[in-house]
Amino acid sequence: MSSCPSGNNQQSASLLWTADSSFLNGVSHHKQITMGVLLEYEHDYQYHDHDNDSNDSAYDEDYFGDLHTVCDKQEVRSFAGVFLPVIYTLALVLGLAGNSLVVFIYLSHKRLRTLTDVFILNLAFADLLLLFTLPFWAADAVNGWQIGTAACKITSALYTTNFSCSMLLLSCISIDRYRALAKGSAHTPARNNSRKHRIIMCLVVWGIAIVLGLPDMVFYTVRVQHSSERYTCRAVYPHSMARAAKATLEILEVSLSFILPFLVMMFCYCRVGVALSQAATAGVHGGRRWRAFRVLIAVVGVFLLTQLPYNVVKLIKTLDVIYILVTECDVSKNLDLANQITESLALTHCCLNPVLYVFIGSSFKMHIIKLAKHWSQTGRGYRHGNEQPAIEISLKSATQTHTNSSSGNEDTSTFTI
Amino acid sequence: MLLRRTNTKTTMQTSTITLLLIAAVFCINTEAFPDTAVDCCLTTKDTRIPLQIVASYFHQTTESGCPIAATVFITKKDKKLCAPPEKNTWISRIISHLEKKQRKALQ
């Protein structure tokens, strides 16, 4: 409890004037009561008494109804501390299992016959690397960030690089499937399937993703929250550009991490769907066409289901940054909760990619069955293959032989699954 | 007859490269993960706060992950009141009073 400062008459007069000014502007009391309060205050000051609780209470009650207070989000942080670790653990377990199996089978048994196979293998690597960052974010949600600025920058950059790489690869897979269909009918020579071309494509995709991750390396840092004394890993922009930069970058992120891949997928898969419909008149078996249609619908549907809610919430938050739309504390808290939930939903895409792009393929099922029989005969336990960096994958790809690699039928066969 | 195009391979290859380059030029992702929920003033009001109920203060900035800048006064009962960021008369007076008190306490 702090006491009134002792001082000379001038200071005393100044304080009294201040109090008088505050009262006259902030309180609509009867003049007589005002004078009484002033006298009482002077009395306390002269005898160095502490401010009594009833005085503070009276002031608080008079003023708080009129003043705006800080929006306390401890309950949002508490929810995150429980919800996020659970979600991240589930995503980590399922995602590691699925993507590791994809990598193991491709490296052990399945030849990279098409560009789509190369993209799918890289997609599994990107998803694995992204999943490895989840334990750090789970710890951040519970305890705050406690492992330093360098780890903050690296983890954030890894997350963005691999998330962007994942989205780019989904676009590339759509394009290659469409190209395979077109090439199948045109019987053009297969320069696109050359080893050199594959390496270049992978390097381009990863190069772009790394470039997209660089701003995180620059802007992400560890800051302490003043109100909760808690360290967090987050983007901090230079003061001069904070608002404009954040809004611009969020809009670009929505445009290029969601809208662009979605438009590419819709264009390519609609063309493929139309071609499949036309194939009906050519006597292609109905069951085969129906299975291909289900794959297309599942791929686009899951993409929308996981990514659309998150990008809508992100867009709303961007508009809030620009126009300061959210002024109610409850609305702001609900927006933060929605952001946590939809971002977790978006993350599940890297668990579902193995199912959508690999496991429903009939050729992959054959490899799994063959593998299971092999292990049951030898009695060896299941073991994940060693994960290798993307560069080694490209080099390994270069050394593999490709009989019939130029066959248009193989592309079509891979696509129709 | 399925879809047929002249130079489809070259066209699609060019389209792929162009698409990726466009993405590289325009897309700069920096929001890898959302800010954890930060306690912020969402609005402020230019209403004088009695000096005697204020214990301390700090400045809220947009750098700290909040939507607006503000001056936050913490009362002796640990309420956090939102005031405008500008140095108008009554805010400056409270701040200078608090800083004097702090200097005196350090002596």
Side-chain angles (χ1 to χ4, degrees):
Chain A
M1 190 61 158
S2 62
S3 61
C4 298
S6 60
N8 53 33
N9 287 336
Q10 185 178 5
Q11 189 174 19
S12 170
S14 173
L15 288 174
L16 285 176
W17 179 79
T18 299
D20 180 78
S21 176
S22 298
F23 282 130
L24 289 181
N25 284 278
V27 181
S28 56
H29 281 324
H30 189 272
K31 188 169 184 180
Q32 183 177 359
I33 297 177
T34 300
M35 290 301 298
V37 173
L38 282 175
L39 289 175
E40 183 179 357
Y41 176 74
E42 184 174 12
H43 173 78
D44 287 344
Y45 168 75
Q46 285 180 344
Y47 286 91
H48 306 294
D49 286 341
H50 296 304
D51 296 332
N52 58 59
D53 288 343
S54 60
N55 250 4
D56 280 352
S57 181
Y59 295 148
D60 289 0
E61 287 166 14
D62 286 339
Y63 280 84
F64 286 162
D66 198 36
L67 292 170
H68 298 169
T69 58
V70 167
C71 181
D72 187 333
K73 294 185 176 176
Q74 179 55 40
E75 62 189 83
V76 177
R77 288 190 293 273
S78 299
F79 171 79
V82 175
F83 172 75
L84 295 181
V86 171
I87 293 294
Y88 294 164
T89 302
L90 288 175
L92 190 61
V93 170
L94 295 175
L96 284 182
N99 287 290
S100 297
L101 185 59
V102 171
V103 170
F104 179 75
I105 290 189
Y106 265 116
L107 294 185
S108 302
H109 295 273
K110 187 176 166 68
R111 287 183 292 112
L112 298 172
R113 295 179 302 155
T114 67
L115 194 54
T116 294
D117 287 330
V118 175
F119 288 144
I120 288 171
L121 181 57
N122 281 270
L123 181 63
F125 272 108
D127 288 340
L128 284 170
L129 289 174
L130 188 150
L131 289 164
F132 287 143
T133 66
L134 294 190
F136 298 95
W137 300 120
D140 182 42
V142 178
N143 298 317
W145 195 268
Q146 300 178 351
I147 53 177
T149 301
C152 167
K153 289 179 181 291
I154 292 170
T155 307
S156 303
L158 265 180
Y159 182 91
T160 299
T161 295
N162 289 292
F163 193 87
S164 305
C165 191
S166 187
M167 293 296 124
L168 289 172
L169 288 167
L170 295 186
S171 303
C172 292
I173 291 169
S174 311
I175 294 170
D176 190 60
R177 283 176 162 172
Y178 170 63
R179 184 190 62 82
L181 179 72
K183 192 183 78 172
S185 62
H187 302 292
T188 51
R191 182 157 50 91
N192 279 343
N193 275 330
S194 71
R195 293 185 299 245
K196 184 175 181 181
H197 178 72
R198 294 178 182 191
I199 294 173
I200 291 173
M201 288 301 299
C202 292
L203 290 178
V204 167
V205 169
W206 280 98
I208 291 171
I210 289 170
V211 168
L212 299 183
L214 285 179
D216 283 23
M217 193 73 73
V218 173
F219 289 122
Y220 265 70
T221 187
V222 179
R223 284 294 172 91
V224 63
Q225 269 189 49
H226 188 286
S227 51
S228 59
E229 301 300 331
R230 172 192 169 114
Y231 290 94
T232 61
C233 171
R234 56 185 168 78
V236 177
Y237 302 96
H239 188 269
S240 58
M241 63 182 285
R243 183 120 134 235
K246 185 170 182 178
T248 303
L249 294 173
E250 293 234 11
I251 290 175
L252 284 172
E253 185 179 347
V254 170
S255 301
L256 291 142
S257 296
F258 172 72
I259 294 175
L260 186 63
F262 176 66
L263 290 178
V264 169
M265 291 172 74
M266 284 300 293
F267 173 81
C268 293
Y269 287 148
C270 282
R271 297 297 295 264
V272 169
V274 168
L276 286 175
S277 299
Q278 293 172 350
T281 62
V284 177
H285 191 266
R288 194 172 168 88
R289 275 188 298 107
W290 173 234
R291 190 194 309 152
F293 269 124
R294 284 188 308 177
V295 172
L296 294 182
I297 293 170
V299 165
V300 177
V302 169
F303 182 82
L304 275 182
L305 181 68
T306 58
Q307 305 300 316
L308 182 60
Y310 172 55
N311 284 276
V312 168
V313 171
K314 188 192 284 281
L315 205 55
I316 293 172
K317 296 192 81 178
T318 303
L319 292 176
D320 178 41
V321 168
I322 300 173
Y323 299 112
I324 317 292
L325 299 174
V326 177
T327 57
E328 295 293 328
C329 189
D330 285 343
V331 175
S332 185
K333 284 195 268 188
N334 287 334
L335 197 55
D336 284 341
L337 285 172
N339 190 62
Q340 286 169 8
I341 294 171
T342 57
E343 174 134 18
S344 302
L345 183 61
L347 272 175
T348 63
H349 201 265
C350 57
C351 308
L352 297 170
N353 283 339
V355 178
L356 293 171
Y357 288 91
V358 184
F359 295 151
I360 52 184
S362 56
S363 62
F364 211 85
K365 286 177 182 173
M366 290 167 56
H367 284 294
I368 292 177
I369 293 172
K370 193 185 304 182
L371 201 62
K373 288 181 178 178
H374 177 65
W375 279 340
S376 63
Q377 288 170 3
T378 61
R380 285 184 301 178
Y382 174 76
R383 180 178 62 85
H384 287 293
N386 293 326
E387 294 121 15
Q388 302 184 29
I391 291 297
E392 287 192 34
I393 293 302
S394 300
L395 294 176
K396 199 183 196 72
S397 169
T399 60
Q400 287 188 9
T401 57
H402 295 284
T403 57
N404 301 323
S405 63
S406 62
S407 170
N409 286 334
E410 280 196 356
D411 286 337
T412 306
S413 174
T414 299
F415 161 70
T416 55
I417 303 172
Chain B
M1 173 61 76
L2 295 181
L3 186 69
R4 164 173 274 173
R5 272 189 185 177
T6 310
N7 294 325
T8 302
K9 166 174 53 66
T10 304
T11 303
M12 291 310 299
Q13 182 178 354
T14 305
S15 299
T16 303
I17 301 292
T18 305
L19 174 72
L20 298 176
L21 290 176
I22 291 173
V25 171
F26 287 102
C27 185
I28 309 172
N29 269 326
T30 56
E31 287 294 320
F33 231 78
D35 292 330
T36 51
V38 184
D39 296 346
C40 300
C41 298
L42 301 177
T43 57
T44 62
K45 191 166 184 180
D46 190 3
T47 300
R48 280 169 173 76
I49 297 169
L51 184 147
Q52 57 267 34
I53 69 172
V54 178
S56 62
Y57 80 101
F58 64 90
H59 291 295
Q60 169 182 302
T61 65
T62 52
E63 278 183 20
S64 60
C66 293
I68 60 170
T71 307
V72 181
F73 290 114
I74 304 175
T75 70
K76 292 167 182 173
K77 293 195 163 183
D78 206 36
K79 304 272 186 171
K80 301 185 178 71
L81 305 176
C82 302
E86 295 84 17
K87 298 279 189 178
N88 59 17
T89 305
W90 67 269
I91 293 176
S92 298
R93 193 176 302 131
I94 295 179
I95 289 175
S96 60
H97 170 77
L98 292 171
E99 284 171 347
K100 275 186 210 169
K101 209 154 81 166
Q102 191 170 15
R103 275 197 298 269
K104 191 159 296 187
L106 291 176
Q107 290 170 0

